[in-house]
Amino acid sequence: MLLRKFYLLLTAGLLTGFAYSQKKQDGSAMYKNAALPVETRVKDLLKRMTVEEKAGQLNQLTGGAFTGPALNDAGQQAKMQMVRDGKVGSMLNVIGATETKAIQTIAIEDSRLGIPLLFGYDVIHGYKTIFPIPLAEACSWNLNNIEKNTGVAAREAASAGIHWTFAPMCDVGNDIRWGRVMEGAGEDPWYAGLVSAARVKGFQGNLDEQHVLACVKHFAAYGAVEAGREYNYTDVSRVALWNKYLPPYEAAVKAGAASVMNGFNTFEGVPVSGSHYLVTDVLKKKWGFTGFLVSDWASFGEMITWGYAADAADAAAKALQAGSMMDMEARVMIAHLPELLKQGKVTVHQLDEAVGRILEAKFKLGLFDNPYKYCDVNREKATLFTAANRQQALQAAQEAVVLLKNNNKVLPISNKSARIAVVGHYADSKEDLFDFWIAQGEFKSAVTLLEGVRKVWGAEQVSFAAGYRADATTDDKLIAEAIANAAKSDVVLVNIGLSGKMAGEDRSLANPVVPEAQVQLLKALKATGKPVIAVVSAGRPLVLTAVEELADAIVYGWILGTESGNALANILSGVANPTGKTVMSFPYAVGQIPVYYNHFNTGRPVQTDGQGNWYSRYRDIPREPLYPFGFGLSYTSFQYSNLQLSSALTDKGKVVTATVTVSNTGDREGEEVVQWYIRDYAAAVIRPVKELKGFEKVSLKPGESKQISWKVDDKVLSFYDASGNLVLESGKFTVYAGGNSRDVLEASLEVR
Ligand code: NOJ
């Protein structure tokens, strides 16, 4: 709606007014010559630009929608005037081939130098065809498919005029109160790095018009927000920074990510947009990042609110001095860079370095040579929401589901004549299916659980009762309806959890639990004596301790996207065998948060016999999570045996081969994620009790066994010191193999 209005306004502006007569630059200018190297073209263009135009390249404005707090919005006509004046380098939230083309035309035709705009958008888990949230997608442990899924999102977005997505989020988080864990790949830094790299490759491909630029965010350590509260303070040591937080960003940068976004948080008391250490020393110098940076929404200006910059001019100076570049919607760069340059507070070199990198990205995308190559309405129509894209989304959703409990093999429901009571408001609510980050995804075309189940078992066999309301309350009547349906059925499928709307940015929760009304409902359903299968929807792990006691089976359905209901129905009916393994630990209780598998031993670890006093634990709940990292069941079962190392004693520089036998001990074919962990016992800085260092997803027929092998090399056994150098120390290690981070076989290894 808003966009439509914006477009009307824009075309009205084009037709009626702003007769803009500018002396265009000479068409033979070197920067316009596609035959010249990008570097030459950038240099030529920089020479021609005024300081104001350079500041303009560092200015990013929102188009139709706001994905952050509204500033004094100048209004769309004023924004278009700024585009004409060369005061805007990029826009976000401008949607569709038509709209992007209209605005690009203004930049090309009406601005003095005709520098194309870069259009950015949050394409987080799909553009029109919505895929599972990244956290869920990561539970597939299928890097090839993650890359493919991201490729679909890129193709769709690129066909709609988008050049650049603000993804992947590489923040490692282990606090489920933080709503943004949905955007990441879980609590393991190494695995999150692999996923981030796969997503970068999927988005960027070979940087043609079928792909979009990736943006690694939120640099850095935003996942450490205190108390899981969005926009909050972070305080991490350099050892934690290097070992826990930086690896995913580094992997994404090394995978060729074109851009990086500053976070909202702080590092060593400095808002990260102004952190010279992070932006210049680490990102540019140590990692050799040659792309460009963008702030998070208004984060340059927020350096004032944090108490770090005195005013907007100071904020602009501090951001540029740190090495940061494009300003998303704080407008401090455009307002103050010219004066700061005059005052000598920033240098031409600093400015040119920032502007040059942004121009370079535009040249590399080919926008100077064909500014409209992403704005083809026919391509857009042919690309969005195709059957093939939906098929890919279905596959992704099936792989994302994690089966947490399956007592007495109550699942799958293979009986096609079973009568099924579907219970739960969310099962029949399209509005609750999605989170905020769905780009142009449409609620109406998403498939609910009820629709999916009806398709498989037939409408006449499936009853529905809401059981609780949208606001997570219930009453006797709602519960009585659910019980009545359950009584007439063979099995109860109850959809509990949280609305999709509770996931994502600005969705921190003090109580990430299953709402009390749903627990009441579960108790009532359990009392019917029918098998109760809980399908849990949420953008994060929830505390499931009450559910674990009441449900016979628990299917963790996250937020699965467009094909949600079809994917869940395929899992429930056994058409698809679950293969997902959780990439975040499920806490036993809220007070246990953050709980994560790769914690430290402490000086007083839990005693094995659970007896005695004076050790690190809780008096009222277990120390361990309800479900550990890496956990997930299949409809078949797997057994691990015979873990062996090619040598128990090794030297630096040598490679040890670890092998383990994995057997399918059940009665159907299945896929297992074989996980390899290590522990380093005495190191210059303490190391976690377990660290994931390898995995392989293998398919096994019933009764089949496979020997899986894994190479233990220097890299696997190393860690980072506080300066970011990889260190390998001699000493004792353990190698673990298993189907999750808790249930493992182990073998000792010594490095000389
Ligand atoms: C703020 C969010 O933190 C960031 O992830 C997002 O890309 C921007 N807004 C733009 O919408």
Side-chain angles (χ1 to χ4, degrees), residues 67 92 122 166 180 217-218 261 264 296-297 328 437 505:
T67 48
L92 74 157
D122 289 289
F166 305 123
R180 303 204 79 168
K217 70 189 190 184
H218 306 87
M261 183 185 287
F264 287 121
D296 203 344
W297 185 288
M328 182 192 288
W437 294 129
E505 186 178 352

CSV table of all heavy atoms in Angstrom, one decimal, residues 67 92 122 166 180 217-218 261 264 296-297 328 437 505, ligand 1:
chain,number,residue,atom,x,y,z
A,67,THR,N,12.2,-0.1,8.3
A,67,THR,CA,12.6,-1.3,9.1
A,67,THR,C,13.4,-0.8,10.3
A,67,THR,O,14.3,-1.5,10.8
A,67,THR,CB,13.3,-2.3,8.3
A,67,THR,OG1,14.3,-1.6,7.5
A,67,THR,CG2,12.4,-3.0,7.3
A,92,LEU,N,17.2,1.4,0.6
A,92,LEU,CA,16.7,0.1,1.0
A,92,LEU,C,15.2,0.2,1.0
A,92,LEU,O,14.6,1.2,1.0
A,92,LEU,CB,17.3,-0.3,2.3
A,92,LEU,CG,16.8,0.3,3.6
A,92,LEU,CD1,17.0,-0.6,4.8
A,92,LEU,CD2,17.4,1.7,3.9
A,122,ASP,N,16.1,-6.6,3.0
A,122,ASP,CA,16.3,-7.7,3.9
A,122,ASP,C,15.7,-9.0,3.3
A,122,ASP,O,14.5,-9.2,3.5
A,122,ASP,CB,15.7,-7.4,5.2
A,122,ASP,CG,16.4,-6.4,6.0
A,122,ASP,OD1,17.6,-6.7,6.5
A,122,ASP,OD2,15.9,-5.2,6.2
A,166,PHE,N,20.6,-7.9,3.0
A,166,PHE,CA,21.3,-7.7,4.3
A,166,PHE,C,21.3,-9.1,5.0
A,166,PHE,O,20.6,-9.3,6.0
A,166,PHE,CB,20.6,-6.6,5.1
A,166,PHE,CG,20.5,-5.3,4.4
A,166,PHE,CD1,19.3,-4.7,4.2
A,166,PHE,CD2,21.6,-4.7,3.9
A,166,PHE,CE1,19.2,-3.5,3.5
A,166,PHE,CE2,21.5,-3.5,3.2
A,166,PHE,CZ,20.3,-2.9,3.0
A,180,ARG,N,16.5,-12.6,17.7
A,180,ARG,CA,17.3,-12.7,16.4
A,180,ARG,C,18.0,-14.0,16.3
A,180,ARG,O,18.7,-14.2,15.2
A,180,ARG,CB,18.2,-11.5,16.3
A,180,ARG,CG,17.4,-10.2,16.4
A,180,ARG,CD,18.1,-9.1,15.7
A,180,ARG,NE,17.9,-9.2,14.3
A,180,ARG,CZ,18.2,-8.2,13.5
A,180,ARG,NH1,18.7,-7.1,14.0
A,180,ARG,NH2,18.0,-8.3,12.2
A,217,LYS,N,26.4,-9.6,8.7
A,217,LYS,CA,26.0,-8.8,9.8
A,217,LYS,C,25.9,-9.6,11.1
A,217,LYS,O,25.8,-10.8,11.0
A,217,LYS,CB,24.7,-8.1,9.5
A,217,LYS,CG,23.5,-9.0,9.4
A,217,LYS,CD,22.3,-8.3,8.9
A,217,LYS,CE,21.0,-9.0,9.0
A,217,LYS,NZ,19.8,-8.4,8.4
A,218,HIS,N,25.8,-9.0,12.3
A,218,HIS,CA,26.0,-7.6,12.6
A,218,HIS,C,27.4,-7.5,13.2
A,218,HIS,O,27.5,-8.0,14.3
A,218,HIS,CB,25.0,-7.1,13.5
A,218,HIS,CG,23.5,-7.4,13.0
A,218,HIS,ND1,22.9,-8.5,13.2
A,218,HIS,CD2,22.7,-6.6,12.3
A,218,HIS,CE1,21.7,-8.5,12.7
A,218,HIS,NE2,21.5,-7.3,12.1
A,261,MET,N,27.9,-5.3,7.6
A,261,MET,CA,27.1,-4.4,8.3
A,261,MET,C,27.6,-4.2,9.8
A,261,MET,O,27.8,-5.2,10.4
A,261,MET,CB,25.7,-4.8,8.3
A,261,MET,CG,24.7,-3.8,9.0
A,261,MET,SD,23.0,-4.4,9.1
A,261,MET,CE,22.5,-4.3,7.4
A,264,PHE,N,24.7,-3.0,16.2
A,264,PHE,CA,24.2,-1.9,17.1
A,264,PHE,C,25.0,-1.9,18.4
A,264,PHE,O,24.7,-1.0,19.2
A,264,PHE,CB,22.7,-2.2,17.5
A,264,PHE,CG,21.7,-2.0,16.4
A,264,PHE,CD1,20.9,-3.0,15.9
A,264,PHE,CD2,21.6,-0.7,15.8
A,264,PHE,CE1,20.0,-2.8,14.9
A,264,PHE,CE2,20.6,-0.5,14.8
A,264,PHE,CZ,19.8,-1.6,14.4
A,296,ASP,N,24.3,-0.3,10.6
A,296,ASP,CA,22.9,-0.8,10.8
A,296,ASP,C,22.0,0.4,10.9
A,296,ASP,O,22.5,1.6,11.0
A,296,ASP,CB,22.7,-1.7,12.0
A,296,ASP,CG,21.5,-2.6,11.8
A,296,ASP,OD1,20.6,-2.3,11.0
A,296,ASP,OD2,21.4,-3.6,12.6
A,297,TRP,N,20.7,0.2,10.9
A,297,TRP,CA,19.8,1.3,10.8
A,297,TRP,C,20.1,2.4,11.9
A,297,TRP,O,19.9,2.1,13.1
A,297,TRP,CB,18.4,0.8,11.0
A,297,TRP,CG,17.3,1.8,10.8
A,297,TRP,CD1,17.0,2.8,11.7
A,297,TRP,CD2,16.4,2.0,9.7
A,297,TRP,NE1,16.0,3.6,11.2
A,297,TRP,CE2,15.6,3.1,10.0
A,297,TRP,CE3,16.2,1.2,8.5
A,297,TRP,CZ2,14.5,3.5,9.1
A,297,TRP,CZ3,15.2,1.7,7.7
A,297,TRP,CH2,14.4,2.8,8.0
A,328,MET,N,23.2,4.0,7.0
A,328,MET,CA,21.8,3.7,6.8
A,328,MET,C,21.0,4.5,7.7
A,328,MET,O,20.9,4.3,8.9
A,328,MET,CB,21.6,2.2,7.1
A,328,MET,CG,20.2,1.7,6.9
A,328,MET,SD,19.9,0.0,7.6
A,328,MET,CE,20.8,-1.0,6.5
A,437,TRP,N,10.6,-11.0,8.9
A,437,TRP,CA,11.6,-10.9,7.8
A,437,TRP,C,11.1,-11.8,6.6
A,437,TRP,O,11.8,-12.8,6.3
A,437,TRP,CB,13.0,-11.4,8.2
A,437,TRP,CG,13.7,-10.6,9.2
A,437,TRP,CD1,14.3,-11.0,10.4
A,437,TRP,CD2,14.0,-9.2,9.1
A,437,TRP,NE1,14.9,-10.0,11.0
A,437,TRP,CE2,14.7,-8.8,10.3
A,437,TRP,CE3,13.7,-8.2,8.2
A,437,TRP,CZ2,15.2,-7.6,10.5
A,437,TRP,CZ3,14.1,-6.9,8.5
A,437,TRP,CH2,14.9,-6.6,9.6
A,505,GLU,N,13.8,-9.3,14.8
A,505,GLU,CA,14.3,-8.0,15.4
A,505,GLU,C,13.2,-7.4,16.4
A,505,GLU,O,12.0,-7.5,16.1
A,505,GLU,CB,14.6,-7.0,14.3
A,505,GLU,CG,15.3,-5.8,14.9
A,505,GLU,CD,15.6,-4.7,13.9
A,505,GLU,OE1,15.6,-5.0,12.7
A,505,GLU,OE2,16.0,-3.6,14.3
B,1,NOJ,C1,18.0,-3.3,11.4
B,1,NOJ,C2,18.5,-4.7,11.5
B,1,NOJ,O1,19.2,-4.9,12.7
B,1,NOJ,C3,19.3,-5.2,10.3
B,1,NOJ,O2,19.5,-6.6,10.5
B,1,NOJ,C4,18.5,-4.9,9.0
B,1,NOJ,O3,19.2,-5.4,7.9
B,1,NOJ,C5,18.3,-3.4,8.9
B,1,NOJ,N1,17.5,-3.0,10.1
B,1,NOJ,C6,17.6,-3.0,7.6
B,1,NOJ,O4,16.3,-3.3,7.7
